[in-house]
Amino acid sequence: MAQYLVLIYEDEAGWAAWGPKAEAAMAEHTRFGETHGGTAMVGGAWLQSASTATTIRDGVVSDGPFAETKEVLGGYYLLEAEDLDAALDLAKQIPAPFGGLEVRPIRTVG
């Protein structure tokens, strides 16, 4: 089994407004975790807002994310799947109502 990181990039304003769309998405995240937790889903987390980020570039520490963008990394899932197609099928079940997902294979060393 290969591992894939699903990065969730969204506009934080949608979550901050916390309306019906955000409530429905949260219910979908819960359902995804209940369905795939302990099997295909190895882990995952909802990150604090980008305003809490601290970055390091060339040894210099600064507040905030690397770039000013509308969509920021808001969370992730670590999945196990037979191949990329299977990982994409799983990732399609992950809600991202205020943005989108990026699926990347974990590089194995050794």
Side-chain angles (χ1 to χ4, degrees):
M1 290 283 235
Q3 290 189 334
Y4 298 86
L5 189 63
V6 180
L7 302 167
I8 305 168
Y9 288 95
E10 296 185 287
D11 183 348
E12 291 181 321
W15 287 104
W18 197 261
K21 195 173 183 179
E23 276 188 45
M26 196 52 132
E28 289 178 50
H29 279 289
T30 300
R31 197 167 25 260
F32 183 82
E34 291 170 351
T35 302
H36 301 291
T39 58
M41 187 183 79
V42 178
W46 186 3
L47 303 177
Q48 292 189 26
S49 75
S51 66
T52 67
T54 302
T55 58
I56 302 170
R57 188 178 294 261
D58 297 325
V60 178
V61 177
S62 57
D63 292 337
F66 275 123
E68 294 290 326
T69 62
K70 186 173 182 175
E71 293 181 356
V72 296
L73 179 61
Y76 67 91
Y77 286 102
L78 179 60
L79 305 178
E80 282 188 338
E82 289 293 326
D83 56 25
L84 178 59
D85 289 335
L88 293 174
D89 286 341
L90 284 166
K92 287 177 187 176
Q93 299 173 45
I94 298 170
F98 308 109
L101 308 173
E102 179 181 340
V103 179
R104 296 181 64 178
I106 300 293
R107 184 179 297 200
T108 56
V109 179

